[in-house]
Amino acid sequence: MLAERDDPSGHWKAQVEAILGYYEDGSNKQYRYSREQNSRDHQVIALHRYCKDQGLFDAVAKSLSRTYEYDRGYFDKLVSSRCR
């Protein structure tokens, strides 16, 4: 995992939990779930935000992270059109 590789001490876990708390609090406009994110796992969104803030993306992670940035219906249409 990128976060673990970057910070083997495990401090990244506390930072991800803090980010999750910011989202759950809802008072900070920077940390509000978009319409697309409401149906997603909120812990994954916090981890995604941490990795993005730390600049921890590689090519594979960047491609995978797009699934959380797109609306689920739109992404499903993209995937199904490629599988035909």
Side-chain angles (χ1 to χ4, degrees), residues 1-2 5 51 55-65:
M1 170 183 229
L2 291 173
R5 184 178 67 199
C51 289
L56 300 180
F57 284 99
D58 61 14
V60 174
K62 188 172 185 174
S63 295
L64 289 173
S65 72

Side-chain angles (χ1 to χ4, degrees), residues 5-62:
R5 184 178 67 199
D6 183 61
D7 182 10
S9 70
H11 182 65
W12 63 271
K13 293 176 186 177
Q15 290 179 309
V16 170
E17 287 298 319
I19 291 170
L20 182 60
Y22 298 147
Y23 274 108
E24 297 300 323
D25 178 29
S27 62
N28 187 336
K29 289 183 180 182
Q30 259 187 312
Y31 295 95
R32 292 212 175 143
Y33 297 116
S34 67
R35 183 177 51 86
E36 294 83 13
Q37 292 174 326
N38 280 328
S39 64
R40 309 286 183 167
D41 185 312
H42 291 174
Q43 289 181 329
V44 174
I45 292 168
L47 179 60
H48 179 259
R49 175 73 181 254
Y50 169 80
C51 289
K52 203 170 190 178
D53 289 350
Q54 298 297 316
L56 300 180
F57 284 99
D58 61 14
V60 174
K62 188 172 185 174

